[in-house]
Amino acid sequence: MRGADAAGLDFEANMSGYRRRKLDAMTNRRGRIEMLGAEMLLRYAMKKTCGIDVTGLEIECGSFGKPRFSDASLPEFSLSHSEEAVACAISDREVGTDIQHVDRLRPAAARRIMTDAEFEAFLRFDAKAKEEAFFRTWVLKESLMKLTGNGFSMGPASFSVLEEEVSCGNKTAYLKCFDKLKLKKYMLGIASFEPIDTEPICVLFDEIVSFN
C-alpha cells in the first residue's frame, strides 16, 4: 500500500461519518494508511464486482463494531488490514474476513486464543508448522468473530476452528483459510453462514487508484 497516504487524500473527503471518525481517532501513521487502503479497496470491490459506487454512503456499526452500509439493500462486507495488505469480503449475506502478515510466532498469544484441544495439537508441531497453525487459527477466529458481529466478546479461546464447520447457536459457520496467496507471507481467513466456494483475488494498489 505504498502511496496510500498521498492517494488517500481524495478518498478522505468522501468517507462516511463512521469511517471518518475511525480515521480521525487513529494517531498511528501506519494505521491510518492501512485504514485508507481498506476504504479504497471497499470502493473498488463494490464498483468492480457489484457495479455500485458507494462513495460517501453512510456506514453504521453494531454493538461490537461490525460495520455495514446504512442502506440495508446493499451487500454485506468485511474489512481487514495488516502491514502492506488489506482484505475486503463482499457478500449478499453476513461475512467476516481477516488477513495477517505471517511474521513471528507468539506462543503466549497462542495459549490465549486457542482452546485446550487446539493448543495440545499446536504443541505437537515443529517450529514451521507451529507458525502456520497459529496464524491459521488467528485469521479463522477473527473471521468468525467478525461474521457473528460479536467481536472479541465471544472470547477466541471459547470456540475451536480445528474443523471448517463451526456451530454458532442455531447456525453453522463455514470457514476457509487461504495460505497460498500471491502476496507471500500473508494468510487470509473467510467465514460465512453458507459454504464458501470462492477464491480470493489479489489486486495491486495502482489498479485500485486508477480504477477509482
Side-chain angles (χ1 to χ4, degrees):
M1 291 190 301
R2 295 182 182 89
D5 49 350
L9 293 177
D10 292 337
F11 286 82
E12 285 190 54
N14 295 302
M15 294 175 78
S16 71
Y18 164 74
R19 299 288 293 171
R20 162 70 67 177
R21 288 190 295 274
K22 286 198 68 174
L23 186 67
D24 289 344
M26 182 70 68
T27 57
N28 178 273
R29 180 175 178 274
R30 174 175 286 279
R32 287 178 63 84
I33 291 173
E34 290 178 355
M35 192 172 293
L36 279 171
E39 175 78 11
M40 292 177 188
L41 182 59
L42 175 62
R43 295 190 200 180
Y44 169 88
M46 287 292 295
K47 192 183 294 186
K48 184 82 170 178
T49 63
C50 305
I52 301 173
D53 185 352
V54 297
T55 303
L57 292 187
E58 282 303 314
I59 293 174
E60 58 189 30
C61 62
S63 302
F64 297 101
K66 181 177 182 177
R68 56 169 43 93
F69 291 111
S70 298
D71 183 345
S73 69
L74 294 177
E76 298 279 341
F77 69 90
S78 181
L79 299 171
S80 179
H81 46 79
S82 177
E83 298 292 332
E84 294 190 348
V86 294
C88 174
I90 294 174
S91 177
D92 59 359
R93 61 205 70 213
E94 295 150 305
V95 67
T97 192
D98 186 62
I99 191 167
Q100 292 293 328
H101 180 242
V102 180
D103 49 10
R104 61 185 178 83
L105 179 63
R106 295 182 283 270
R111 175 64 280 192
R112 288 196 301 272
I113 69 167
M114 292 180 177
T115 64
D116 289 343
E118 288 171 330
F119 193 65
E120 288 173 9
F122 170 81
L123 292 176
R124 292 195 292 268
F125 296 141
D126 61 26
K128 178 63 175 174
K130 276 189 172 74
E131 179 183 86
E132 293 175 353
F134 170 75
F135 284 100
R136 176 189 178 279
T137 301
W138 183 256
V139 299
L140 291 180
K141 293 204 174 198
E142 276 261 23
S143 297
L144 183 58
M145 291 188 290
K146 289 180 178 182
L147 169 68
T148 64
N150 293 324
F152 278 90
S153 69
M154 289 179 66
S158 68
F159 62 93
S160 172
V161 293
L162 287 174
E163 304 294 332
E164 292 188 341
E165 295 183 17
V166 178
S167 177
C168 287
N170 61 351
K171 295 182 178 179
T172 297
Y174 298 86
L175 312 175
K176 196 164 185 178
C177 179
F178 301 92
D179 58 0
K180 298 295 188 294
L181 301 172
K182 289 182 180 179
L183 292 171
K184 298 187 184 302
K185 298 295 286 182
Y186 283 90
M187 199 170 287
L188 175 73
I190 298 178
S192 171
F193 289 125
E194 296 289 333
I196 301 166
D197 58 2
T198 188
E199 293 291 323
I201 301 172
C202 291
V203 184
L204 295 178
F205 175 73
D206 288 346
E207 181 180 341
I208 294 174
V209 174
S210 61
F211 186 85
N212 285 276

